Amino acid sequence: MRRRVATLSALALAALLVPATARPQSAPPPAPAAAPPPAAAPAPPPPGYAPPPPAYAPPPPGYAPPPPGYAPPPQPVYVQAPPQPVYVQAPPPKKKTIELTAFAGYQVNSDIYLSTGKLVVDDAQAWGAAISSEVRPGSFAELRWTYSDPKMHASGSSFNGSTPFHVQTHYFQIGGLHSVRRDRTTIFGGATIGAALFAPESFETANGKTYSLSDTWLFAFTLGLGFKVDITPKIGVRFDANVAAPVYFTSGGVYVGGGGAGLTVSGGVPIWQWNFLGGLVFSP
């Protein structure tokens, strides 16, 4: 017991006598790590910049999410209505057209054959005028006058020739035209009926006799074709060709019998006159 106490005392004394420098020193604490450099500040937005809108609008205040298992109600199905009919207002009725036409052209004449010879008829210039009124689309009623002054001379056994003489010729006609329009061009055809007046001069035959002829009225008709071109809505040009023919009647009669009744008329066309005319059309 005494030995253990002595040993512990010796060890304590030795520890007190050891210099402080000889004692083991603890390692110094490590230096603190350097702080990272501060991050660069973000660049400011350019002038006029507006942040983009959110992808979804935020819920309104007091919004609560649906409970689990909630199914949204079915959405209504919209069926497109059938197209509605489009009503186009009819244009106002077109005003009836009235046209005034002045003609000029050339007339080609056939000869007149008589029982005692013939009258040789020269070709001549022709003039005229017409008034047309549209009675329905494409159809016109027309009142027409044509004038020419051809020269004639007699030839044959009865006359033995004659001096030339003029015969003033007037056609007073009324009739209709039917037309087809293509853009500014109108193609038409028509017919008229009416009267023809022949006013001859006196003439002298080769044997020295002088004859004075009276004016003659005859029934007459014309047939023609032509076309018209509109220059403006009010002015146009018209070209037409027609044949004019006077008709004479020599006899007529009425018969009645067991098989029925009838009317007989004999006559003919003494001269054919072809007119080739052009003119200006005015629409008031």
Side-chain angles (χ1 to χ4, degrees), residues 203-228:
F203 67 95
E204 184 178 349
T205 62
N207 55 15
K209 291 184 178 180
T210 301
Y211 291 89
S212 296
L213 303 177
S214 60
D215 297 348
T216 302
W217 286 89
L218 295 175
F219 172 79
F221 66 91
T222 68
L223 299 172
L225 295 171
F227 66 93
K228 183 185 69 171

Side-chain angles (χ1 to χ4, degrees), residues 16-229:
L16 293 175
L17 296 178
V18 175
T21 57
R23 295 177 184 175
Q25 300 292 328
S26 59
Y49 170 79
Y56 297 96
Y63 170 78
Y70 170 78
Q75 299 297 318
V77 178
Y78 298 97
V79 179
Q80 186 177 5
Q84 299 297 318
V86 179
Y87 298 97
V88 180
Q89 185 176 5
K94 184 181 177 182
K95 183 180 179 181
K96 291 185 177 180
T97 302
I98 296 178
E99 296 180 349
L100 306 177
T101 307
F103 293 107
Y106 199 71
Q107 185 182 78
V108 178
N109 297 301
S110 67
D111 295 335
I112 301 175
Y113 290 89
L114 306 173
S115 59
T116 56
K118 70 176 181 178
L119 295 175
V120 179
V121 185
D122 297 339
D123 302 334
Q125 291 183 330
W127 296 270
I131 301 176
S132 305
S133 177
E134 190 174 21
V135 295
R136 62 181 181 180
S139 297
F140 290 80
E142 184 170 271
L143 182 64
R144 184 184 185 114
W145 165 72
T146 307
Y147 169 80
S148 64
D149 189 19
K151 186 185 295 185
M152 302 183 185
H153 68 273
S155 174
S157 58
S158 298
F159 300 104
N160 197 20
S162 71
T163 58
F165 60 98
H166 290 269
V167 178
Q168 297 183 20
T169 305
H170 302 264
Y171 280 88
F172 304 96
Q173 300 285 295
I174 186 171
L177 301 175
H178 185 71
S179 62
V180 177
R181 185 178 180 87
R182 293 291 183 271
D183 195 15
R184 295 191 305 165
T185 302
T186 303
I187 302 173
F188 60 85
T192 64
I193 60 173
L197 170 64
F198 297 91
E201 297 177 338
S202 60
F203 67 95
E204 184 178 349
T205 62
N207 55 15
K209 291 184 178 180
T210 301
Y211 291 89
S212 296
L213 303 177
S214 60
D215 297 348
T216 302
W217 286 89
L218 295 175
F219 172 79
F221 66 91
T222 68
L223 299 172
L225 295 171
F227 66 93
K228 183 185 69 171
V229 179

